[in-house]
Amino acid sequence: MSSAEEIVSTLTKRDIFQTFVFENFQQASFNYETIHGLAFCVDMIPTIRRVYKTKEDQAEALKRHLTFFNVTPGVCGPIVGVTMALEEGKAQGENIDAGTIQSFKVGLMGPLAGVGDPVMWGTLRPILAALGASLAVKGSWMGPFLFFFAFNAIRLALKWYGLKLGLNRGLALVKDVSGNLLPKLTEGATVLGLFVMGVLVTKWTTINIPLVVSKTQNGGKEVVTTVQTILDELCPGLPALGLTLLMMYLLRKKVNPIILIFALFGVGILGYGLGWLK
Amino acid sequence: MKITIFQLILIFIWSSITGAGSVLDEFQTHRPLIACSITGLILGDPVKGIILGGTLELIALGWMNIGAAQSPDSALASTISTILVIVGSQSIQKGIAIALPVAAAGQVLTVFARTITVAFQHAANRQAEKANFRAIEWLHFSALFVQALRVSIPTTLVAIFVSPTMVQSMLNALPDVVTGGLTVAGGFIVVVGYAMVMNMMSVKYLMPFFYLGFILGGYLKLSLLAFGGVGLIMALVYVQLNPKFSKQPVAAPANSAAVSEDLAEDELED
C-alpha cells in the first residue's frame, strides 16, 4: 500500500470547510437502519464531487458511503479525513479497493467510539454541565454561558483538527491509533472523570434519614441519635455512595434508567410518608 | 401570566431548535441548562429558567446517547417544564417532577422519529444510483424537521392551553405525601445519572480514584473547580508514571538484559 502522504490533494479549502460544516450535522438523519450512514455519505459529497469525474464513479462512491456508520459525533473528524484521503488516492489510481476503504472506516469506528463516548459523554459534558449547573442553580447567567461556549469550543476544535489530522496523515494515522496516544488520553480522562464523580456523589446528593435510633439522657440534656448522625460519623455521604453503586449494578443488569428514576421517586414518597426520609 | 402570540411564535421556533439539537447532540441546545434558560428568557423570567435548567441538568447529567440507544429526552422535558413553572407559576421542585415523565414521553417520540427517517435513508439510496448530490443532501437535512416538530408541536400545544389555575388545581389534588416525597427524592434522584456516567467510565483498576474523590469530597471544603484541578494533576501524574505508557516499550527487556550482563560481570569479577 502506498502512503497517502505522497498524494497531491486536489481538494480545495472550500471542500474541506464544507465537509467540516456538514460534520456538525452528523446525526441529522439518525435512523435505525444505518445510524449515521446517510450523514457519512453527505460528509463525503464535497470530496466525491471533486475527485470523481464520471457519473458512474460518483454513484459508486456515494453508494459505498451510504452504509452503516456510527461513532461519537465529536470524534468523527479523523475517520472522515482518512476516508477523504483514501477516496482521493483511489481516484488518482492508487491500488485501493472499496473493501479497504470500508475496513478503514469500520476499523477506526470502534476505537474512536471507545474513546469518544467516555471522553465526550462520560467526562467532558458531565463535568462542564455540572460546573455550569452549580452556577445556574444560584440564578447566574454564567452557568449556561460557560457550559455552552466551553463545550462547543472543545467540540469544534476536535472536529476541525480531527478532520485535518485524518486528511493530512491519511494512512499514517492508523499507526497513531494503535500507538500510545489514544489509550493514554482515555486513561487520563478516566482518572479525572472518576475522581470528579466521586466528589459529586458526596457533595451533590442530599439524603437525610432522621429515623431515631435512640434517645439518651446526658447530664439532663436529651441526646437524639438518628440513623443520619451515625452514618455521618462513619463517613459523610455513605447512603449516596451505596445508592450510586446499587444503581450502577441495576443499570448493568439492563434495567431502564427511567424505571430507576420512578422507583427512586417511589422510595422518596414512601420514606417521606413513613417519616424515615426528610 | 398570559402568553402573547409573539412569545408563542418564539416558543415554537426555540422548541424546534431544541428538538433538532436533541438528535444532533452537537451544540447542546437540548440540554436543560440551555433549553430552560432560553425558554425562560422568552417567557420573561430568565432567572427562574436558569435555576430550573441548572437543577434539571444535574438530574440529566447521565442522559446520553450511546451507540444507537436513546437517552430520556431532555429537550421536551426542558421546554414543557419551564412553561409550567413560569406560566403556571409552579415551584422548581414541581417543575422537576413534571419534567421526568415528559422526558420519558419524549424518548418514545424520538424512537418514532428515528424509525421514520429510515425512509429518508432508502430515498437517498435511490438518489445515489443517479449520483444526485443535491437530493442526498436535501434528504439528510430535511430529516431534521421530523425531530424539530417532535418537540415543537407538543411544546406549543402546552403553551397554548396551559393556565395557572388549571395547573394549580391539578397539583392541589396531589396529597402532601406525594409533593413532599418528590422533593425528598429530588435530593438523591441524581444518583441514577451518576451511575450511568460511572458505568461508562468505570474501569475496575481505576475505581480507587472514584473512592478517593468520594472521601476527599466528604471531608474537604474545596470548590468543584479546585477538585477538578486536583483530579487533572492526578491524571497527568498517573499517565506519566504508568509503565504501560513509557516511551519505549522495548526499553524494559533491554534494561533487564543490561542488568543481567552487569550481574554476569560482577560474578566474573568475584
Side-chain angles (χ1 to χ4, degrees):
Chain A
M1 237 185 291
S2 57
S3 165
E5 282 172 307
E6 294 163 16
I7 297 165
V8 179
S9 178
T10 55
L11 293 170
T12 64
K13 274 202 177 113
R14 200 173 164 272
D15 295 335
I16 297 168
F17 187 74
Q18 196 179 15
T19 309
F20 167 69
V21 172
F22 284 166
E23 269 189 349
N24 281 286
F25 295 88
Q26 196 65 14
Q27 306 206 93
S29 55
F30 194 116
N31 67 83
Y32 284 127
E33 195 181 307
T34 64
I35 314 291
H36 306 161
L38 178 48
F40 195 92
C41 180
V42 171
D43 288 338
M44 295 307 295
I45 282 180
T47 307
I48 294 170
R49 209 197 303 248
R50 180 71 58 200
V51 300
Y52 292 108
K53 298 302 167 212
T54 67
K55 274 259 178 240
E56 290 71 34
D57 284 347
Q58 290 176 345
E60 274 312 305
L62 286 173
K63 281 191 277 178
R64 181 155 63 232
H65 293 300
L66 274 170
T67 50
F68 174 87
F69 185 76
N70 188 13
V71 77
T72 322
V75 296
C76 67
I79 310 184
V80 175
V82 166
T83 313
M84 287 163 81
L86 290 171
E87 285 293 351
E88 179 128 56
K90 185 175 166 60
Q92 292 184 19
E94 295 282 331
N95 183 23
I96 301 167
D97 60 16
T100 310
I101 297 178
Q102 284 300 349
S103 37
F104 261 95
K105 272 169 70 178
V106 177
L108 287 171
M109 213 159 74
L112 277 174
V115 178
D117 281 344
V119 170
M120 297 293 287
W121 304 146
T123 312
L124 183 66
R125 188 172 68 188
I127 288 179
L128 289 175
L131 202 64
S134 72
L135 297 168
V137 289
K138 292 175 208 141
S140 162
W141 267 109
M142 275 309 290
F145 265 107
L146 181 87
F147 169 64
F148 184 77
F149 288 106
F151 184 86
N152 279 300
I154 295 170
R155 185 184 65 79
L156 289 171
L158 270 178
K159 291 223 167 182
W160 175 248
Y161 292 106
L163 178 68
K164 296 284 274 187
L165 179 78
L167 183 59
N168 292 339
R169 299 291 293 273
L171 300 174
L173 181 84
V174 185
K175 288 193 191 111
D176 256 11
V177 172
S178 56
N180 258 335
L181 186 67
L182 287 186
K184 230 171 162 171
L185 198 72
T186 316
E187 198 126 304
T190 310
V191 169
L192 171 63
L194 284 173
F195 178 75
V196 172
M197 282 312 299
V199 177
L200 290 186
V201 164
T202 176
K203 277 211 181 282
W204 283 8
T205 314
T206 325
I207 305 177
N208 188 14
I209 313 171
L211 186 64
V212 177
V213 179
S214 67
K215 279 182 190 170
T216 48
Q217 296 293 326
N218 188 3
K221 266 205 290 186
E222 195 182 42
V223 179
V224 181
T225 311
T226 65
V227 174
Q228 191 61 42
T229 48
I230 296 173
L231 287 173
D232 280 345
E233 269 170 32
L234 276 173
C235 176
L238 271 184
L241 179 67
L243 211 52
T244 308
L245 295 177
L246 177 68
M247 291 302 127
M248 286 170 66
Y249 172 79
L250 291 173
L251 285 169
R252 277 203 299 270
K253 291 273 171 243
K254 305 277 174 237
V255 181
N256 189 322
I258 281 285
I259 289 174
L260 292 178
I261 288 175
F262 280 119
L264 286 184
F265 269 118
V267 170
I269 292 169
L270 200 68
Y272 182 79
L274 295 171
W276 291 3
L277 293 169
K278 206 173 160 189
Chain B
M1 66 170 274
K2 239 29 227 109
I3 298 182
T4 64
I5 295 292
F6 180 62
Q7 279 174 322
L8 212 54
I9 293 167
L10 286 181
I11 290 280
F12 182 81
I13 294 170
W14 174 244
S15 51
S16 295
I17 293 172
T18 64
S22 153
V23 68
L24 287 176
D25 217 346
E26 299 279 1
F27 295 94
Q28 310 301 318
T29 51
H30 65 299
R31 296 301 296 185
L33 203 47
I34 312 289
C36 293
S37 303
I38 304 287
T39 311
L41 186 69
I42 292 170
L43 295 174
D45 194 346
V47 174
K48 225 178 203 171
I50 292 170
I51 296 173
L52 176 65
T55 317
L56 192 54
E57 183 69 51
L58 287 178
I59 294 171
L61 223 47
W63 296 1
M64 48 190 153
N65 299 305
I66 301 297
Q70 270 82 62
S71 61
D73 182 47
S74 62
L76 195 64
S78 302
T79 51
I80 289 186
S81 64
T82 313
I83 291 171
L84 292 179
V85 163
I86 295 175
V87 184
S89 9
Q90 295 307 315
S91 68
I92 301 289
Q93 260 69 29
K94 285 184 182 152
I96 299 293
I98 295 160
L100 293 165
V102 175
Q107 190 176 12
V108 175
L109 286 177
T110 195
V111 170
F112 279 124
R114 289 172 198 216
T115 310
I116 292 169
T117 44
V118 173
F120 289 68
Q121 170 79 34
H122 283 267
N125 290 346
R126 283 192 296 277
Q127 294 303 324
E129 299 281 352
K130 296 178 257 172
N132 190 343
F133 294 114
R134 279 270 163 261
I136 294 174
E137 284 171 11
W138 193 84
L139 281 165
H140 173 63
F141 288 106
S142 61
L144 265 185
F145 286 100
V146 178
Q147 295 283 354
L149 293 176
R150 168 184 79 79
V151 174
S152 57
I153 291 175
T155 304
T156 312
L157 285 178
V158 168
I160 292 171
F161 291 113
V162 74
S163 75
T165 47
M166 187 180 85
V167 178
Q168 197 58 57
S169 60
M170 266 168 59
L171 287 169
N172 282 347
L174 291 173
D176 168 64
V177 62
V178 174
T179 45
L182 291 179
T183 311
V184 167
F188 57 81
I189 215 90
V190 277
V191 293
V192 180
Y194 296 155
M196 288 171 83
V197 175
M198 290 286 302
N199 271 349
M200 284 235 50
M201 292 194 293
S202 118
V203 185
K204 271 227 166 66
Y205 61 89
L206 292 178
M207 280 305 274
F209 288 103
F210 169 73
Y211 294 108
L212 182 66
F214 171 75
I215 291 170
L216 291 184
Y219 288 106
L220 295 181
K221 299 277 166 274
L222 291 177
S223 75
L224 198 63
L225 203 62
F227 276 116
V230 172
L232 190 65
I233 291 165
M234 285 198 313
L236 286 173
V237 171
Y238 176 82
V239 170
Q240 275 168 13
L241 293 184
N242 197 327
K244 207 162 64 182
F245 302 126
S246 61
K247 283 230 169 66
Q248 290 102 13
V250 279
N255 280 341
S256 61
V259 169
S260 58
E261 265 177 39
D262 286 347
L263 280 175
E265 278 172 22
D266 287 348
E267 276 167 15
L268 282 175
E269 279 168 23
D270 287 339

